[in-house]
Amino acid sequence: MPKTTLIVATDIDGTLTDKNRKISLRAVELLRELQKLGAVVILISSHAFPAVSTLADYLGIEFIVAETGVCGGRPWRPIYVKPIKAREEVVRMVVERGFIPTESNNFRLGDISLYPPKNMGIDEALELLRDILKCYDLDFTYSGFAIHVFPRGVNKGWGLKTLLKYIGVEGEILALGDGENDIPLFEVADLSITSIHSPEKLRSAADIVLPYNNISTTLYVLEFIEKLLRLRGGISLRDIKRILVS
């Protein structure tokens, strides 16, 4: 029976990093080992394509999806981009209502990244943004770090499936994430895992919730899979789920 390709799709901020946004070197080591063992590793983030490209380039990760699914490909070589139409017009409108473009906004290929207006809570800011964008075919999400605006229908899950189609890869998808913007990613995965400390909505969408903090959850899963691949040469996500929940 032919081996099924394992696709490891992981968020970055809060999943591969600690609470201070410092990346775990152990997580990097494990992702590299999984690639050597035949897994396809994909970094998936709401950050700008150049930022994710730089990280993946130095870490030796071959594929990325950035800007909440708006673009994806290899580091510095986008394979697909689905940008916001009239992007500058939208930016001008939200700035006039007090929203603040993030430092990376000018370097993004297709989405918009914003901070809430000063002295405004995130829930109020999201309601205001919903009113501003009501006549546009756009959607938005809060990553825990910034608000991201993108074409309706685009998200991390859509971006992952689009990238896989373009690069011709089929297999079982393992998804790791820590924020509500990872819910669409979990929805397209064969197995999704998060931490008990993740938001309630993400925990509800996950197949497995582990009783560790975010980075410890990531390390536990990656180490477990790496050991199984070395011992068996191939694994089924159904077996991993059965073992982890037993």
Side-chain angles (χ1 to χ4, degrees):
M1 183 176 179
K3 294 179 182 178
T4 300
T5 300
L6 173 63
I7 301 163
V8 179
T10 178
D11 172 54
I12 300 174
D13 289 306
T15 303
L16 299 179
T17 68
D18 63 18
K19 61 182 180 180
N20 297 315
R21 300 185 76 183
K22 293 183 179 179
I23 198 161
S24 166
L25 298 182
R26 177 59 178 155
V28 172
E29 178 185 1
L30 288 164
L31 290 174
R32 287 171 171 167
E33 285 302 312
L34 291 179
Q35 284 190 148
K36 291 179 183 177
L37 292 169
V40 175
V41 176
I42 303 175
L43 300 182
I44 301 188
S45 177
S46 290
H47 215 327
F49 188 86
V52 185
S53 290
T54 300
L55 179 63
D57 210 6
Y58 280 106
L59 298 187
I61 305 300
E62 187 174 3
F63 298 109
I64 63 174
V65 172
E67 301 180 25
T68 319
V70 163
C71 47
R74 293 179 171 86
W76 301 108
R77 290 175 289 168
I79 294 174
Y80 78 88
V81 182
K82 188 174 179 62
I84 292 175
K85 297 178 180 179
R87 184 176 184 273
E88 295 307 314
E89 174 186 325
V90 175
V91 171
R92 184 172 62 254
M93 286 180 57
V94 297
V95 168
E96 288 175 354
R97 300 293 294 273
F99 286 88
I100 304 165
T102 66
E103 297 83 354
S104 68
N105 199 61
N106 289 335
F107 304 98
R108 292 174 173 266
L109 299 189
D111 79 335
I112 298 170
S113 180
L114 305 165
Y115 294 128
K118 292 181 179 179
N119 302 317
M120 183 179 291
I122 187 62
D123 290 337
E124 184 180 357
L126 294 177
E127 283 302 315
L128 174 60
L129 187 60
R130 182 172 288 106
D131 182 64
I132 297 171
L133 300 179
K134 61 187 177 183
C135 295
Y136 290 85
D137 195 24
L138 299 174
D139 207 345
F140 56 89
T141 187
Y142 179 59
S143 67
F145 300 98
I147 301 168
H148 302 275
V149 183
F150 40 83
R152 184 165 288 125
V154 173
N155 52 55
K156 287 186 175 183
W158 180 89
L160 174 61
K161 298 296 282 188
T162 300
L163 176 64
L164 292 174
K165 180 179 179 181
Y166 273 106
I167 64 178
V169 171
E170 296 181 354
E172 291 189 324
I173 300 171
L174 168 69
L176 300 170
D178 74 303
E180 290 186 10
N181 62 333
D182 294 312
I183 291 175
L185 172 61
F186 281 20
E187 290 174 343
V188 303
D190 297 286
L191 179 62
S192 54
I193 304 176
T194 194
S195 161
I196 191 67
H197 298 289
S198 295
E200 181 180 355
K201 289 183 179 180
L202 184 66
R203 298 199 307 270
S204 297
D207 293 308
I208 297 176
V209 178
L210 293 176
Y212 314 117
N213 64 30
N214 292 341
I215 188 59
S216 295
T217 292
T218 300
L219 294 177
Y220 181 87
V221 173
L222 296 181
E223 287 174 348
F224 180 72
I225 292 174
E226 190 262 351
K227 289 177 182 176
L228 283 181
L229 282 176
R230 286 193 180 280
L231 289 171
R232 300 183 181 181
I235 54 175
S236 164
L237 293 185
R238 182 184 303 174
D239 290 340
I240 291 177
K241 182 178 181 180
R242 177 177 51 79
I243 295 171
L244 289 178
V245 299
S246 61

